[in-house]
Amino acid sequence: MLKTSFFPRKLSSVPIVNARGVGPIHIKASRTKMELSITRPDDWHLHLRDGELLEAVVPHSSYHFGRAIIMPNLKPPITTTSAAVAYRQSILKALPENSDFTPLMTLYLTDTTSPSEIKLARESGVVFAVKLYPAGATTNSQDGVTDLFGKCLPVLEEMVKQNMPLLVHGEVTSPDVDVFDREKVFIDTVLSPLIQKFPQLKVVMEHITTKDAADFVESCDEGFVAATVTPQHLVLNRNSLFQGGLQPHNYCLPVLKREIHRQAIVSAVTSGSKRFFLGTDSAPHERSKKECPCGCAGIYNSPVALSVYAKVFEQAGALDKLEAFTSFNGPDFYGLPRNTSKIKLSKTPWKVPRSFSFTWGDIVPMFAGETLEWLPSPL
């Protein structure tokens, strides 16, 4: 667990009405410090892996977040309800003592997933969504869907009946399409036709990276199409892959895009729109699997995510909208209750560890060794 501490000072309280108008975000300010009290956030897109890696990273997420949508792209993938139940038990077993973190499980959609499996998933009470990976799109996606409209229509119809959200990795995988254009092409050729065919299907476009995606989500019916947004796609652009040499720890999929896209996503997220919510896509890999001739895609950001989001909203002059993005929009879309506990974000500089070391290797976090400005802690 990331451990930090600070000494609070006596500060004046200034209430600011939040983006939902449901109560004040309590902000304390002085010449040296600012504090925000917000409803405990959830992470609507998280990779916890399994085995030793799971045990290493779950304390960071459980420290900051109340719940998380857990991605199913393990080896082998989580394709059945029974496998999701077993994986959930592994996560609960790995949690720190007295943690109340709740993993929300997902199924990995394949060409052979059956409608009956969707019914089982809904009846289980622990599976909350189904994840679409186009085959070959990202880490452990080789078992993903090869023909969505040809092989998965009965499953999609059942998902509408069960009100089960489809979580979409929004990239085509054709080698003829430039890697920086794969999200836009996916919207045009897959996502838009899908929504037209199933207008009552709840869809989350995961980890959006382009202006095209932000505009598309805004154009859809509210309550049926939404998007998660990662810390990295809010603060990094594709230059971050190459500045000072190749930067493997900034490599993720979907890959970072041009600055104009980053700015568009920041504008969408900080606008107060209910269609966007927090999803870190935190994706840990052992250092040797990142710093190698064929490095894995994924940024480990769980220890720093809330600090980064707070900075983005502060710079946009939108701290009053931060709580809705981190804590309200996600559960509202999924039809789940909002958390009742609170966390505190203090304007207190803290240094990110250069790595987290274990007997089997190191994990390098996002912004390793750098100083961040916002420090989250439970209340």
Side-chain angles (χ1 to χ4, degrees), residues 14 16 66 123 142 162 181 218 223 238 247 250 253 255 259-260 267-268 272 289 293 298 300-301 309 324:
V14 183
I16 297 181
E123 292 168 358
Q142 60 272 15
Q162 299 295 333
D181 297 329
E218 285 285 14
R238 66 186 190 179
Q247 301 297 320
N250 287 341
L253 289 173
V255 71
E259 175 64 9
I260 57 171
S267 295
K289 294 184 178 180
Y300 184 53
N301 61 38
Y309 287 125

Side-chain angles (χ1 to χ4, degrees), residues 91-155:
I91 296 169
L92 294 175
K93 186 178 179 180
L95 287 172
E97 188 176 357
N98 298 322
S99 173
D100 60 355
F101 176 81
T102 302
L104 309 175
M105 310 311 294
T106 62
L107 295 188
Y108 184 114
L109 184 64
T110 72
D111 290 342
T112 59
T113 302
S114 67
S116 61
E117 194 62 58
I118 302 303
K119 291 181 182 178
L120 283 174
R122 176 55 77 194
E123 292 168 358
S124 73
V126 303
V127 176
F128 291 85
V130 176
K131 181 66 185 289
L132 166 62
Y133 291 101
T138 189
T139 303
N140 297 342
S141 63
Q142 60 272 15
D143 297 310
V145 171
T146 63
D147 185 1
L148 181 66
F149 295 108
K151 298 181 178 180
C152 298
L153 289 184
V155 168

Side-chain angles (χ1 to χ4, degrees), residues 331-353:
D332 291 354
F333 181 85
Y334 276 84
L336 296 173
R338 299 172 180 178
N339 292 322
T340 56
S341 58
K342 299 281 186 176
I343 68 163
K344 177 167 60 179
L345 286 159
S346 304
K347 193 71 177 291
T348 303
W350 63 280
K351 191 171 183 178
V352 182

